Amino acid sequence: GASWKTGNSVELRASDQGEPLEDQSMYEQQPKLHSVVMGAQQQNTGNLQFMDTSAYDGRYSSTGQAGGNAFYPSEYSGNIGGNLSTNFEDEPPLLEELGIDFDKIKQKTLSVLNPLKKVTKEMIYSPGNDGEPVADSDMAGPILIALMLGGAMLLRGKVHFGYIYGVGLVGCGSLWLVMTLMSQKGLDIYQTSSILGYSLLPMVLLAFFSAFFTATGHVMTILTVVTVAWCTIRSSDMMVVAMDV
Amino acid sequence: MRRHQTHEQRQEPHEGFDNAMLHMAASSGAQFFDSGHRMLQDNVQQVVSMGLLRYYFSVDTSYVLNKLVLLLWPFSKKSFHREKEASSICGYMVPREDVNSPDLYIPSMAFVTYIVLCGLNQGWEHSFTPEVLGKTASSGLTVLVLEVLMLKLGFYLLEGPATSFLDFVSFSGYKYVGIVLSKLAYIFLGRSLYWLVWLYTGAAMSYFMLKTVSAGLLPPNAAGAPQRSQSKEYFVLGLAAMQLPVSWFMGL
């Protein structure tokens, strides 16, 4: 009731005097946000001023702002104006911001599945940060494929997610090291991981298929050899194209 | 509501002090970390840097083939001395141009092949767990470290020429070619042929080590005549003889 408002007005007076409110913790922001929802325009601007002049570095203030934005009803976003950079209407679409391009993912997946189709440059390259085409470092597809591999193993009763991550990480790291040491141009580690992740797809198919057969029969051995060769050929093709060798 | 207010008021006098100290601590912590990181990087760069590693990985197909043949039949080669070249990073010719030059490509590939083969072997015996890959890798690395330490100690005590420790790593890794072959023989051809292949590849590796390390330890002096030193030769002989039991131990 009354004591609540007194507490808030004490802080407002400090901000009106223009002192930077460095000593406010995240905990103390919460009563102010309540006051935004219940309160008048004046309190609103006061709180915004507080958030702007806080002396945290960029990381903390953005968390504060994100948390703050979550509490603000949408009609207040007009008042935020030029002070905060994350205006709700101007944000790019979520998928573009995350870097997930479903078309590209589908294209790469199909190119791995079809061992006869030649890998072209435009399948792997996508516009990089400075506009020039750079080898794709999309990780959404590979992570999905790794999870599917773990899921396929679950069908056989083996919970091997940790091993997939571990061996995958060691494999990607060592292959990146070898590629960097042996070539002039070299690849980014994310680019190598992306290529290796996509070429893991035939293994996922093999894993799903092997749920129905024993692992060491003749059929499975031949299938395994074929699958490993398939994975290797596709990943080598993609790496050769990506490194422009 | 009153609890909120009193808590706020209790916290207010301490907050400014804590946050200012936090910032100072964070920035000085970052400074310490940076300087420590730079010092570590400078010291490590002297021993193993990307430029030096690139030297050991600059191989091509013909080098790899010739070196593999040399590892399995070293008996007919005359000279194991490395050719010098002043412009390269370690004073010798790159592996691409000189078959006697050690490289790291063959040892690392042979080691990984060996790990994969161990996993495959266990899979065929229905006793595969993914941990065998890690275990094999760790035991291989332990043996490598011990061997490199021994070589380093030997070179230091016998006052051999300054050799980069990556040379020792590569010498120690060459035996995996023989181990891979022995393991393949074990998997596909049975135990008796395994002993035979192990014996032969072990002997070939021993001879190869003998010749290469003595070429490294006793470089021909300025007059071109080879030096002779009894202690050095004993050391090299002992090293070569050690290849056999080590490769047996690893190939189990």
Side-chain angles (χ1 to χ4, degrees):
Chain A
S3 57
W4 171 261
K5 285 219 178 62
T6 343
N8 277 333
S9 56
V10 164
E11 286 145 16
L12 274 177
R13 258 185 264 123
S15 71
D16 284 344
Q17 286 170 9
E19 288 172 9
L21 299 173
E22 309 178 11
D23 31 278
Q24 307 291 341
S25 67
M26 273 292 282
Y27 176 75
E28 292 181 68
Q29 285 176 17
Q30 287 173 9
K32 286 198 208 53
L33 296 168
H34 275 293
S35 72
V36 166
V37 172
M38 308 188 278
Q41 292 287 359
Q42 193 184 15
Q43 280 185 330
N44 195 4
T45 0
N47 290 335
L48 288 171
Q49 199 173 15
F50 151 73
M51 278 184 165
D52 234 8
T53 58
S54 76
Y56 293 90
D57 65 9
R59 263 179 279 131
Y60 294 146
S61 64
S62 68
T63 344
Q65 285 168 8
N69 274 339
F71 283 111
Y72 290 156
S74 49
E75 56 252 25
Y76 283 125
S77 61
N79 296 331
I80 296 178
N83 271 354
L84 299 175
S85 56
T86 52
N87 207 352
F88 186 66
E89 289 93 6
D90 286 347
E91 281 179 8
L94 182 65
L95 281 184
E96 195 180 304
E97 204 173 321
L98 287 175
I100 298 179
D101 185 3
F102 276 129
D103 261 342
K104 198 116 226 174
I105 293 180
K106 201 173 73 164
Q107 204 182 27
K108 282 172 99 162
T109 316
L110 286 176
S111 87
V112 168
L113 285 177
N114 184 358
L116 303 170
K117 197 166 168 202
K118 218 165 132 45
V119 176
T120 62
K121 228 168 148 158
E122 57 114 39
M123 270 195 251
I124 303 197
Y125 281 56
S126 58
N129 288 338
D130 39 355
E132 319 182 344
V134 143
D136 216 5
S137 63
D138 160 53
M139 294 296 288
I143 290 182
L144 190 66
I145 292 174
L147 285 175
M148 274 175 23
L149 186 63
M153 296 238 208
L154 273 181
L155 283 180
R156 299 193 61 126
K158 305 183 188 177
V159 188
H160 279 334
F161 285 98
Y163 293 126
I164 295 176
Y165 295 147
V167 176
L169 218 66
V170 169
C172 288
S174 45
L175 209 67
W176 166 78
L177 194 63
V178 171
M179 289 294 153
T180 318
L181 288 173
M182 290 191 69
S183 72
Q184 301 308 110
K185 190 176 163 201
L187 275 180
D188 200 0
I189 187 162
Y190 298 113
Q191 292 160 356
T192 12
S193 311
S194 173
I195 291 176
L196 287 175
Y198 276 112
S199 47
L200 200 59
L201 194 56
M203 287 306 285
V204 176
L205 296 177
L206 179 73
F208 273 114
F209 189 70
S210 79
F212 306 109
F213 295 89
T214 68
T216 52
H218 290 298
V219 175
M220 282 307 295
T221 313
I222 297 178
L223 262 182
T224 315
V225 171
V226 165
T227 313
V228 169
W230 183 3
C231 294
T232 319
I233 291 175
R234 289 322 276 172
S235 71
S236 329
D237 283 343
M238 287 206 274
M239 284 212 189
V240 160
V241 169
M243 284 203 295
D244 224 357
V245 170
Chain B
M1 296 292 186
R2 204 169 295 155
R3 246 183 292 124
H4 271 285
Q5 178 196 355
T6 46
H7 190 92
E8 285 166 23
Q9 287 178 343
R10 242 186 292 125
Q11 270 192 347
E12 267 191 49
H14 300 291
E15 279 306 309
F17 190 55
D18 277 345
N19 271 353
M21 286 285 285
L22 190 71
H23 283 302
M24 257 173 37
S27 70
S28 68
Q31 262 182 354
F32 278 128
F33 179 75
D34 266 341
S35 72
H37 186 247
R38 226 175 302 126
M39 192 174 67
L40 187 72
Q41 212 171 32
D42 286 339
N43 282 335
V44 166
Q45 286 247 340
Q46 290 169 4
V47 180
V48 48
S49 64
M50 287 300 263
L52 194 59
L53 277 176
R54 263 179 214 267
Y55 166 85
Y56 285 98
F57 275 92
S58 64
V59 294
D60 62 348
T61 324
S62 68
Y63 169 83
V64 171
L65 285 174
N66 287 332
K67 192 81 180 192
L68 285 176
V69 165
L70 189 63
L71 283 170
L72 297 172
W73 182 255
F75 306 108
S76 58
K77 189 147 205 298
K78 299 292 173 216
S79 153
F80 281 82
H81 289 294
R82 295 165 73 180
E83 306 294 327
K84 283 203 195 294
E85 177 173 334
S87 64
S88 91
I89 195 169
C90 69
Y92 290 103
M93 275 192 182
V94 261
R96 208 173 295 172
E97 297 161 8
D98 180 17
V99 180
N100 289 330
S101 201
D103 71 317
L104 278 177
Y105 176 79
I106 293 179
S108 46
M109 294 297 149
F111 184 55
V112 172
T113 312
Y114 170 67
I115 294 177
V116 168
L117 263 184
C118 281
L120 202 60
N121 187 23
Q122 277 209 350
W124 265 319
E125 292 172 0
H126 294 273
S127 59
F128 178 75
T129 62
E131 284 145 356
V132 71
L133 305 172
K135 276 191 223 170
T136 323
S138 332
S139 56
L141 280 176
T142 315
V143 167
L144 173 78
V145 165
L146 287 173
E147 274 194 20
V148 168
L149 279 177
M150 228 198 57
L151 273 166
K152 195 93 187 166
L153 188 69
F155 266 59
Y156 173 73
L157 288 176
L158 297 169
E159 284 163 27
T163 333
S164 150
F165 97 104
L166 288 174
D167 279 354
F168 300 144
V169 172
S170 104
F171 291 150
S172 167
Y174 277 136
K175 72 163 80 58
Y176 281 104
V177 176
I179 295 177
V180 162
L181 281 177
S182 313
K183 195 127 190 128
L184 278 173
Y186 179 77
I187 292 175
F188 289 116
L189 302 174
R191 285 192 75 96
S192 38
L193 272 172
Y194 162 68
W195 288 115
L196 213 65
V197 173
W198 168 75
L199 211 63
Y200 173 72
T201 51
M205 254 322 285
S206 305
Y207 187 79
F208 174 80
M209 278 290 275
L210 183 84
K211 282 300 199 178
T212 317
V213 176
S214 64
L217 200 53
L218 307 157
N221 56 18
Q227 306 169 358
R228 294 194 66 90
S229 153
Q230 208 176 31
S231 52
K232 289 184 181 176
E233 287 183 357
Y234 278 138
F235 170 69
V236 170
L237 268 176
L239 197 69
M242 208 187 64
Q243 297 297 307
L244 272 162
V246 174
S247 61
W248 171 76
F249 169 72
M250 283 310 298
L252 274 180

